[in-house]
Amino acid sequence: MTDGTYVITVRGVAGPAVRAAFDDVEVSAVGDTTVLRSAGADQAALHGLLHRIQDLGLDVVEVHLDPAEPA
């Protein structure tokens, strides 16, 4: 179990087809990058997300874990 949100930044702004491939995560454009946020994902889910990114030929810029905000 993960207490936080995995945030993955990829190069370029995702079009509709790429956004559709990530319908289970929050996708947003930030400047000339796309940010994928997966709340509550475990390590297996993170690896699955990274495999999808690789399969689509996207370039990863950054991966980090945002800790959960205190209740």
Side-chain angles (χ1 to χ4, degrees), residues 7-65:
V7 180
I8 303 171
T9 304
V10 297
R11 193 173 323 279
V13 177
V18 171
R19 286 178 176 270
F22 297 105
D23 63 350
D24 56 335
V25 298
E26 179 185 332
V27 180
S28 57
V30 178
D32 62 350
T33 63
T34 298
V35 177
L36 309 170
R37 298 179 62 83
S38 182
D42 60 11
Q43 287 285 307
L46 172 63
H47 286 273
L49 190 56
L50 290 170
H51 282 290
R52 273 191 273 169
I53 290 168
Q54 181 180 23
D55 289 346
L56 290 166
L58 303 175
D59 294 324
V60 174
V61 175
E62 179 183 22
V63 178
H64 72 271
L65 178 64

